[in-house]
């Protein structure tokens, strides 16, 4: 079974691409959603986070996202320590999830594929790109932030040129959904051909 890492900057439309693959019957592991679920439900991870950030990290047994964000965004060292707890748990969960799938290939959608170490677990990498204006247009609809704030977030993320160097497949997501779906189908066919050739 081939494992594909799906990544790209904020606003490029990674989730839309992932959903396109799901329509083709390909299982997708959404790393960000899984990370939140693990932080919320995994007893060992909860214990380590509580030890690191204090009992306020959980409020009424729920992950206290605003409290945790307030600490880690002001303290890069604390963010690294939190990532050292969460990333290995997510990687382990992904491998366990993969073992339960019966599709020809699977996809892990992850904005921080390389930073989280998940790039080491996949066989190839698909990067989603989009023009800056298109990204800003999408983000304005989704987030209530100013153009300056959004540009700042984009700047802080993975360098797109670096991502492209490490990619095996690229989808430019500037078109309508029909054209995007054609691009997804093309990659699906390529991957299935790779599998046939062994």
């Amino acid at each position: 079974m081939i494992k594909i890492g799906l990544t790209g900057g904020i606003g490029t439309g990674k989730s839309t691409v992932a959903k396109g693959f799901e329509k083709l019957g390909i299982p997708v592991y959404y790393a960000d959603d899984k990370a939140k679920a693990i932080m919320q439900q995994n007893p060992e991870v909860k214990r380590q986070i509580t030890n690191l950030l204090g009992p306020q990290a959980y409020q009424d047994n729920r992950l206290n996202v605003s409290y945790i964000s307030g600490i880690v965004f002001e303290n890069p060292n604390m963010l690294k320590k939190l990532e050292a707890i969460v990333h290995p748990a997510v990687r382990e969960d992904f491998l366990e999830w993969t073992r339960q799938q019966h599709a020809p290939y699977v996809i892990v959608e992850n904005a921080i594929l390389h930073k989280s170490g998940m790039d080491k677990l996949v066989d190839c990498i698909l990067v989603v790109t989009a023009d800056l204006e298109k990204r800003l247009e999408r983000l304005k609809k989704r987030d209530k932030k100013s153009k300056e704030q959004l540009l700042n977030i984009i700047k802080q993320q993975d360098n797109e040129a670096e991502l492209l160097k490490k990619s095996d497949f690229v989808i430019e997501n500037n078109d309508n959904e029909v054209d995007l779906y054609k691009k997804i189908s093309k990659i699906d066919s390529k991957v299935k051909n790779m599998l046939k050739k062994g």
Side-chain angles (χ1 to χ4, degrees):
M1 183 191 285
I2 288 180
K3 297 186 279 294
I4 298 177
L6 170 65
T7 193
I10 189 171
T12 54
K14 293 181 297 299
S15 296
T16 306
V17 170
K19 285 180 175 69
F21 279 101
E22 283 185 315
K23 282 178 187 169
L24 294 171
I26 303 304
V28 178
Y29 183 95
Y30 293 91
D32 190 44
D33 293 343
K34 290 285 189 172
K36 286 179 186 136
I38 287 166
M39 289 168 80
Q40 178 59 52
Q41 295 158 9
N42 183 305
E44 179 54 23
V45 168
K46 283 175 82 170
R47 186 188 65 77
Q48 289 183 50
I49 290 172
T50 304
N51 286 347
L52 178 68
L53 302 171
Q56 306 97 307
Y58 293 87
Q59 205 169 34
D60 301 324
N61 212 26
R62 300 285 306 161
L63 193 67
N64 190 344
V65 178
S66 57
Y67 169 78
I68 293 171
S69 301
I71 292 176
V72 298
F73 285 123
E74 286 176 20
N75 189 331
N77 188 39
M78 204 59 97
L79 176 61
K80 272 186 185 167
K81 286 180 179 177
L82 179 63
E83 288 172 344
I85 296 168
V86 179
H87 290 339
V90 175
R91 291 197 298 267
E92 197 179 303
D93 186 70
F94 168 63
L95 291 173
E96 180 54 41
W97 173 87
T98 302
R99 285 190 279 272
Q100 293 164 20
Q101 306 309 313
H102 304 288
Y105 68 96
V106 297
I107 286 177
V108 51
E109 189 255 24
N110 191 341
I112 53 167
L113 189 77
H114 298 88
K115 189 183 178 189
S116 66
M118 287 190 98
D119 58 324
K120 307 282 189 294
L121 305 181
V122 298
D123 303 293
C124 44
I125 292 170
L126 164 59
V127 174
V128 184
T129 68
D131 293 342
L132 183 60
E133 285 312 309
K134 202 78 177 166
R135 292 171 73 178
L136 288 168
E137 187 188 307
R138 287 176 189 142
L139 290 168
K140 275 180 197 165
K141 284 178 190 170
R142 197 183 78 186
D143 304 333
K144 300 282 179 273
K145 289 184 171 75
S146 69
K147 187 176 179 178
E148 286 69 31
Q149 286 172 310
L150 293 171
L151 283 168
N152 199 31
I153 292 166
I154 289 169
K155 266 184 210 165
Q156 284 171 12
Q157 284 207 340
D158 262 331
N159 181 325
E160 195 173 84
E162 283 302 307
L163 277 182
L164 290 171
K165 275 185 207 168
K166 297 168 184 172
S167 69
D168 299 282
F169 303 106
V170 178
I171 284 182
E172 283 184 16
N173 184 17
N174 296 312
D175 311 310
N176 58 51
E177 285 209 11
V178 174
D179 289 330
L180 178 63
Y181 196 71
K182 282 178 189 167
K183 291 177 182 178
I184 292 166
S185 297
K186 211 173 187 178
I187 288 175
D188 176 68
S189 298
K190 277 185 186 174
V191 175
K192 284 173 180 166
N193 283 334
M194 279 165 56
L195 283 160
K196 277 178 197 166
K197 287 171 187 171

